[in-house]
């Protein structure tokens, strides 16, 4: 049975260099390990980097299913170069100007609808800590790139 991988991250990833090649490698590895459906968010710079990497992975593995959560479908698609790419866009209305609440709402949806959470989340930020605790409480497998990079001082 195919598994779903939810991918979400925090807004400010400018301080580190995450190579697109590394993201593509990590996504390919997930695909090869049975994750044939990726669920990605649209709230952060990390999410946009993942979107771009997923476009490449989808070209390599055309049977990969990708669902993108968007809160303003038209605005998001107009900003993307690959706006008509073969992804499923899920309109998920969020509250205006309540970023922390929206992070938790989108994270909960993604956790509830996936088998594993691939993320870049600093747990010192309360909404991310809540999100990771929710995933742990639901016995979801978690791969937090933020923790891994910090463990090795990268």
């Amino acid at each position: 049975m195919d598994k779903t991988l939810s991918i979400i991250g925090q807004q400010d990833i400018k301080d580190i260099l995450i190579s697109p090649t590394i993201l593509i490698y990590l996504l390919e590895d997930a695909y090869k390990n049975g994750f044939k459906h990726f669920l990605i968010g649209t709230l952060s710079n990390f999410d946009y980097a993942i979107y771009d990497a997923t476009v490449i992975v989808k070209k390599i593995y055309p049977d990969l299913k990708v669902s993108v959560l968007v809160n303003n479908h038209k605005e998001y698609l107009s900003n993307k170069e690959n706006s008509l790419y073969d992804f499923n866009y899920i309109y998920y209305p969020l509250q205006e100007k309540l970023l922390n609440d929206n992070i938790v709402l989108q994270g909960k949806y993604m956790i509830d609808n996936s088998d594993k959470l691939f993320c870049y989340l600093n747990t010192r930020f309360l909404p991310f800590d809540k999100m990771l605790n929710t995933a742990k409480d639901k016995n979801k497998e978690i791969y937090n790139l933020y923790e891994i990079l910090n463990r090795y001082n990268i």
Side-chain angles (χ1 to χ4, degrees):
M1 183 175 158
D2 293 341
K3 299 180 281 184
T4 299
L5 177 70
S6 281
I7 310 165
I8 192 166
Q10 67 190 66
Q11 184 65 26
D12 190 11
I13 61 167
K14 297 175 210 129
D15 295 338
I16 65 162
L17 297 173
I18 300 177
S19 162
T21 305
I22 290 172
L23 293 177
I24 292 165
Y25 171 80
L26 292 169
L27 296 177
E28 273 191 288
D29 188 56
Y31 176 88
K32 290 175 183 175
N33 284 299
F35 292 91
K36 307 294 187 201
H37 180 204
F38 293 174
L39 179 60
I40 57 181
T42 55
L43 291 177
S44 73
N45 295 339
F46 181 77
D47 294 335
Y48 295 128
I50 286 293
Y51 181 100
D52 294 338
T54 303
V55 168
I56 293 166
V57 174
K58 175 85 170 142
K59 288 178 182 175
I60 299 167
Y61 305 102
D63 64 322
L64 173 66
K65 180 181 176 190
V66 180
S67 298
V68 182
L69 259 59
V70 293
N71 63 329
N72 187 333
H73 194 167
K74 290 179 184 175
E75 179 183 320
Y76 183 76
L77 293 179
S78 68
N79 289 332
K80 295 307 295 176
E81 188 176 306
N82 302 305
S83 62
L84 298 177
Y85 205 76
D86 185 25
F87 291 174
N88 175 38
Y89 293 89
I90 301 170
Y91 177 68
Y92 191 75
L94 299 175
Q95 302 173 32
E96 286 187 34
K97 298 182 182 178
L98 296 175
L99 182 61
N100 291 359
D101 292 343
N102 289 338
I103 290 168
V104 172
L105 283 171
Q106 192 174 77
K108 182 180 179 334
Y109 178 90
M110 294 174 83
I111 290 164
D112 289 345
N113 291 283
S114 68
D115 300 291
K116 180 177 181 177
L117 182 65
F118 174 82
C119 56
Y120 181 83
L121 301 175
N122 179 347
T123 56
R124 286 179 274 168
F125 185 50
L126 186 60
F128 296 149
D129 190 48
K130 280 182 166 179
M131 191 184 313
L132 288 172
N133 284 330
T134 298
K136 288 174 189 171
D137 291 345
K138 295 184 179 208
N139 294 316
K140 301 291 179 167
E141 186 179 351
I142 301 168
Y143 182 95
N144 189 350
L145 188 56
Y146 180 87
E147 289 176 355
I148 292 165
L149 294 174
N150 279 305
R151 185 178 313 137
Y152 297 104
N153 294 318
I154 298 173

